[in-house]
Amino acid sequence: MITIEEIKAQELNPQQFIADRCKEISEAVGEGLAINALSGGVDSSAVTMLGHKALGERLKTYFIDNGIMRQDEPQAIVSLFKELGVKVEIIDARDAFFQALKGINDPEEKREAITQTFYKNVFGKLVKESQAKHLLQGTILTDVDETVAGIKRQHNVFEQLGIDPQAAFGYKILEPLIQLRKDGVRKLAEALGLPASIYNRMPFPGPALSARVIGEATPERIETVRLATTIVEQELAGVQAFQYMAILHADRVTGMRNKQRDFGQQIEIRCWDSVDARQARPTRLSFEILEKLADRMVKEVPGVVSVTYNIATKPPSTMEAI
Ligand code: XMP
């Protein structure tokens, strides 16, 4: 197994790190082209800035609209990077992802479907068209740990699983952030000139809202969790927490609406205090905030009759529900 030497956030010298990684990226890519996918999270944003520092126009950056991102996310991220002088192209791949997710209920099978669609189908095609031989990716050490430990297969981890991306997908993957954890990436992102809205941004999982839907991720169910996510993010914006989220459950429960029985849907809210995502505790939200959340969920998200707040710690929970 490959051993990766961790660089702790407090030991990180961002300017040195930037110089070292830029040199490595330039040497690996040579005169060729590289490609990367930006999701707007702190990891992929930091990689995008690093790659552009190292390669300039020779790095082609794409935002893959997989249909499972949050409200208006693709357009908002692309405009933000435009202001930073980085051109990002949006690829509409919504149909391909929903087709791949069709009929799948198992969490690991969902991750696998997303991985295959992303790397083989959508991204594989882009890489071929662009003639890039290298793919830059924001894998961090926590992704590797959890995949190797068999807890969750992070969709961006290959070599640690014994998969050779060159053989499987036809390109080489460069992972300049692999020695860092989230707190280190935030420090780096700030040093790279990204705005606070990015370097302080909450983590968001690779499988996006499909990780927030228990059971099948259909367009309708994704829309339900997207609405619930907007409400959670609006209501908890002022709370100091590591991450907050809404989860759509597969079970239905009996409720009542307009004096009629309504066998409705359940939303679970999670809000975590954590430093590096390895351990986490539920934030002690006030009951006023919880009541406001419940009130908006049942009024604004069609079909929801039950709203719960998770109070278990990680471990044994994980932060995402699938
Ligand atoms: P878990 O759920 O493993 O999440 O406790 C730890 C942190 O990693 C983020 N994250 C992911 N989680 N699959 C996941 O389950 C992914 O592909 C992924 N990518 C990132 C998660 O949001 C949490 O901050």
Side-chain angles (χ1 to χ4, degrees):
M1 195 170 41
I2 309 150
T3 355
I4 301 160
E5 201 183 317
E6 177 172 354
I7 302 176
K8 293 211 159 62
Q10 59 274 26
E11 295 160 5
L12 175 71
N13 174 341
Q15 294 310 336
Q16 189 61 47
F17 187 92
I18 293 169
D20 293 348
R21 295 297 94 78
C22 281
K23 188 161 173 273
E24 281 168 18
I25 295 168
S26 305
E27 283 173 4
V29 176
E31 290 305 306
L33 290 178
I35 187 169
N36 84 313
L38 170 68
S39 70
V42 62
D43 306 340
S44 72
S45 297
V47 163
T48 301
M49 291 306 279
L50 255 185
H52 277 269
K53 248 187 197 313
L55 304 170
E57 293 280 303
R58 285 185 300 120
L59 175 65
K60 304 281 170 220
T61 300
Y62 294 94
F63 188 106
I64 308 294
D65 184 359
N66 52 16
I68 49 179
M69 303 302 284
R70 287 166 290 186
Q71 196 70 49
D72 303 325
E73 207 158 18
Q75 296 72 17
I77 299 298
V78 171
S79 332
L80 191 149
F81 274 82
K82 194 173 174 192
E83 278 176 31
L84 295 169
V86 176
K87 192 170 144 243
V88 182
E89 193 178 327
I90 297 183
I91 304 292
D92 181 357
R94 289 175 292 182
D95 289 348
F97 280 90
F98 281 122
Q99 204 54 42
L101 286 165
K102 213 173 183 158
I104 301 181
N105 288 291
D106 178 76
E108 294 299 296
E109 284 178 28
K110 267 197 226 172
R111 285 168 206 279
E112 186 60 17
I114 290 170
T115 303
Q116 291 298 328
T117 309
F118 187 86
Y119 289 98
K120 252 193 173 141
N121 179 349
V122 178
F123 221 57
K125 280 193 192 128
L126 277 177
V127 180
K128 270 195 201 105
E129 282 167 21
S130 72
Q131 307 200 324
K133 295 273 176 291
H134 291 85
L135 169 62
L136 258 71
Q137 183 164 265
T139 318
I140 64 170
L141 200 46
T142 317
D143 300 339
V144 178
D145 287 347
E146 298 210 340
T147 300
V148 172
I151 297 166
K152 286 182 189 188
R153 184 210 199 291
Q154 303 284 338
H155 87 302
N156 50 1
V157 172
F158 294 105
E159 300 201 7
Q160 293 75 17
L161 289 172
I163 299 169
D164 175 4
Q166 182 83 53
F169 310 115
Y171 46 78
K172 258 195 106 42
I173 297 186
L174 302 175
E175 296 172 313
L177 310 183
I178 200 128
Q179 292 170 281
L180 304 179
R181 294 192 189 273
K182 200 62 99 185
D183 43 353
V185 181
R186 293 193 195 287
K187 204 167 150 183
L188 172 70
E190 184 175 5
L192 282 163
L194 284 158
S197 61
I198 293 283
Y199 68 74
N200 281 335
R201 202 161 191 227
M202 252 188 332
F204 189 64
L209 293 175
S210 83
R212 308 265 168 93
V213 162
I214 300 178
E216 191 179 354
T218 61
E220 296 72 31
R221 301 191 75 219
I222 289 290
E223 192 49 40
T224 302
V225 88
R226 183 180 285 129
L227 272 173
T229 302
T230 303
I231 295 172
V232 168
E233 293 191 353
Q234 284 172 355
E235 294 302 325
L236 299 186
V239 169
Q240 282 292 326
F242 182 87
Q243 193 171 14
Y244 32 84
M245 62 189 75
I247 293 151
L248 174 63
H249 279 247
D251 285 350
R252 288 188 173 248
V253 292
T254 298
M256 49 195 265
R257 216 184 280 273
N258 305 326
K259 296 195 179 145
Q260 294 216 328
R261 178 185 142 89
D262 183 0
F263 198 45
Q265 310 218 69
Q266 304 188 66
I267 291 286
E268 177 189 340
I269 294 162
R270 295 183 174 196
C271 181
W272 297 108
D273 289 341
S274 178
V275 176
D276 58 14
R278 282 185 290 179
Q279 295 183 329
R281 304 189 72 80
T283 305
R284 293 188 169 202
L285 295 178
S286 75
F287 223 88
E288 283 70 28
I289 292 180
L290 292 170
E291 278 175 338
K292 179 88 188 293
L293 279 166
D295 194 49
R296 286 195 61 191
M297 289 293 168
V298 296
K299 282 195 184 122
E300 297 175 35
V301 189
V304 171
V305 296
S306 166
V307 183
T308 59
Y309 184 57
N310 170 66
I311 52 172
T313 58
K314 171 180 178 175
S317 261
T318 56
M319 296 173 83
E320 303 291 343
I322 75 151

